[in-house]
Amino acid sequence: MPKIIVIGAGIAGVLTAYALLEQGYDVTVVERRRYAAMETSFANGGQLSASNAEVWNHWSTVLKGIKWMLRRDAPLLMNPAPSWHKYSWLLEFVSNISRYRENTIETTRLAIAARKHLFEIADREGIDFDHVRRGILHVYWDKAGFDHALKVNKMLNEGGLDRHSVTPSEFAGIEPAMHGNFYGGFYTPSDSTGDIHKYCAGLEKACTKRGAQFIYDAPVTRIERRNCFNLVCTTGGADQTLEADGIVVCAGTNSRDIAAMFGDRINIYPVKGYSITVDLDGSAADSSAPWVSILDDRAKIVTSRLGAARLRVAGTAEFNGVNFDIREDRIRPLVDWTRMMFPKVATEHVVPWAGLRPMMPNMMPRVGKGRVPGVFYNTGHGHLGWTLSAATSAMLATIVAADIPVDARFAA
């Protein structure tokens, strides 16, 4: 069996490992953290949201970013300090505004395709990830926001998504726990939510049972290619060399540095997002917290119910380089928003978190071959890694199989 090394054990890496095992490969996953899904895949917003497939490459995003630059609690915050990486990324972001419509439709199609793979794997492997299938409700506070959403909805529908408008009077029938003086909204019944970390942990166990090896606490320091690839990682203070016929980079924000080892330019920028996990302690809190996932377009905040005992609230985008600091002034708006929208939910027990979304300038994941034969990428999913990775991993496994064939006897 050909040997493949997957770099990264987040949602993209673990799903890629599983897809490659299905094809019959000998798979080793190398991860710099101590466990799977300890960075961006740890405590994200939880939404499996084809309805959030609109890419950000739009002039309205640029104008809002400029307007919000001096607001510490702004939904999108830009550190103006000079950085060649940041400003080169922004220039490429602007250059992709012309592909806004095309990329939004393609992202919608990918998200719908990903559902099938994600749910089938969970059923096959018996993975419990607090999956809630009650749809996602987008809410809008004014006519301008709703009118823009109408235009977006046409693109989402063209991509194959059933997402329809609802009036404020219909909100109570969809999610009675929510409070607010809204203008209108859109409801996507086929969207859902779930705990990405629990899914990754369960899938890692399934991959191990199928023969995959996971090597943790192992940052990659060097990769060479002779007759095969020699990957050097540091484990336990010593170098370990692994041999492979192919390498797949699924390293999140670290993918840019790994790609540079092969002479590839993968212009990923780390866009920080924040979340809080609210402990729903008691029946009163349980009944006053939403089960339907909410996306507030004005605040850029989402909610996901993770089983009976937890509510995840997440949002904001911060351009501040590789920085994992959890800022109180960025967490506070999430708590305040929760109190405003769901006033009976107790916020006494709140766990804050921050993670770095690996974003490409065109907001599309990088899936395919590198310039060096045997090198592949499945990375750069941005804020939609949980939503898209099952589809891109299946695509990537097909690409690998075409370049590094497996004897049919070993295929699943």
Side-chain angles (χ1 to χ4, degrees):
M1 293 184 287
K3 296 181 179 180
I4 305 293
I5 292 176
V6 176
I7 303 175
I11 187 64
V14 179
L15 279 165
T16 296
Y18 187 87
L20 291 169
L21 288 165
E22 288 275 278
Q23 293 278 1
Y25 291 97
D26 180 342
V27 178
T28 298
V29 181
V30 178
E31 166 59 46
R32 62 179 176 174
R33 300 295 184 183
R34 190 175 182 181
Y35 307 103
M38 292 304 292
E39 290 195 14
T40 311
S41 298
F42 184 74
N44 73 349
Q47 290 188 330
L48 291 160
S49 51
S51 60
N52 199 22
E54 179 192 11
V55 298
W56 298 2
N57 306 85
H58 194 275
W59 282 114
S60 63
T61 306
V62 177
L63 295 174
K64 287 176 182 177
I66 295 172
K67 182 179 71 172
W68 288 333
M69 193 173 290
L70 299 179
R71 274 184 50 193
R72 294 178 66 85
D73 63 345
L76 190 156
L77 184 65
M78 175 79 66
N79 183 340
S83 162
W84 168 250
H85 181 201
K86 178 169 57 186
Y87 287 110
S88 67
W89 188 95
L90 289 170
L91 285 173
E92 286 191 49
F93 175 90
V94 171
S95 72
N96 277 282
I97 288 177
S98 62
R99 299 179 63 84
Y100 161 77
R101 183 179 184 278
E102 175 185 344
N103 287 346
T104 294
I105 294 171
E106 177 59 24
T107 302
T108 306
R109 291 172 177 155
L110 269 177
I112 294 171
R115 292 173 179 165
K116 180 176 182 291
H117 295 290
L118 195 79
F119 301 159
E120 284 180 353
I121 293 169
D123 289 343
R124 186 184 309 132
E125 303 297 342
I127 301 172
D128 174 16
F129 61 107
D130 292 330
H131 192 201
V132 176
R133 291 186 166 192
R134 300 204 187 186
I136 293 179
L137 176 63
H138 283 60
V139 298
Y140 300 88
W141 297 84
D142 54 39
K143 184 176 185 300
F146 184 81
D147 287 347
H148 177 76
L150 276 173
K151 297 176 183 176
V152 173
N153 202 56
K154 292 179 181 178
M155 293 182 280
L156 300 180
N157 292 161
E158 188 172 338
L161 185 66
D162 174 20
R163 177 180 184 257
H164 58 271
S165 62
V166 289
T167 65
S169 61
E170 295 175 295
F171 285 9
I174 298 171
E175 181 43 73
M178 185 175 61
H179 294 258
N181 185 22
F182 303 104
Y183 181 87
F186 285 85
Y187 181 56
T188 310
S190 59
D191 276 346
S192 59
T193 59
D195 188 326
I196 186 173
H197 183 73
K198 288 185 71 173
Y199 190 99
C200 285
L203 190 55
E204 180 223 29
K205 292 178 181 177
C207 288
T208 301
K209 288 180 181 178
R210 287 171 174 255
Q213 180 184 11
F214 285 77
I215 302 175
Y216 290 110
D217 278 332
V220 175
T221 57
R222 190 170 71 255
I223 304 173
E224 299 172 349
R225 184 178 184 185
R226 298 189 181 97
N227 295 327
C228 62
F229 289 100
N230 290 313
L231 181 148
V232 181
C233 56
T234 303
T235 56
D239 286 347
Q240 179 178 357
T241 301
L242 306 173
E243 292 186 352
D245 300 291
I247 291 179
V248 184
V249 180
C250 306
T253 56
N254 196 40
S255 297
R256 179 171 175 260
D257 293 336
I258 300 294
M261 297 181 183
F262 301 111
D264 289 320
R265 182 175 182 270
I266 306 295
N267 194 16
I268 284 174
Y269 191 84
V271 180
K272 189 194 290 187
Y274 292 84
S275 77
I276 56 173
T277 303
V278 183
D279 180 14
L280 302 175
D281 185 15
S283 58
D286 292 350
S287 62
S288 58
W291 279 97
V292 172
S293 181
I294 308 297
L295 194 157
D296 181 346
D297 186 73
R298 183 178 69 181
K300 308 301 181 188
I301 291 176
V302 308
T303 68
S304 293
R305 188 68 175 263
L306 303 179
R310 293 180 298 154
L311 177 69
R312 178 72 47 77
V313 182
T316 78
E318 183 178 313
F319 288 74
N320 195 23
V322 179
N323 182 309
F324 289 92
D325 293 346
I326 299 176
R327 293 172 44 175
E328 194 279 336
D329 60 342
R330 305 294 284 162
I331 293 295
R332 174 53 52 187
L334 299 178
V335 176
D336 291 345
W337 182 90
T338 303
R339 295 177 62 187
M340 176 188 72
M341 297 284 282
F342 312 102
K344 293 184 180 180
V345 171
T347 53
E348 180 182 2
H349 303 291
V350 169
V351 180
W353 175 83
L356 304 179
R357 308 176 183 100
M359 286 194 171
M360 296 289 290
N362 63 354
M363 308 298 292
M364 302 295 289
R366 175 71 159 81
V367 184
K369 305 177 186 179
R371 66 170 63 189
V372 175
V375 174
F376 308 89
Y377 295 94
N378 183 22
T379 190
H381 296 76
H383 65 300
L384 292 176
W386 185 209
T387 296
L388 301 179
S389 288
T392 62
S393 298
M395 291 165 52
L396 195 281
T398 301
I399 294 170
V400 173
D403 269 27
I404 309 175
V406 176
D407 189 310
R409 292 174 299 170
F410 297 109

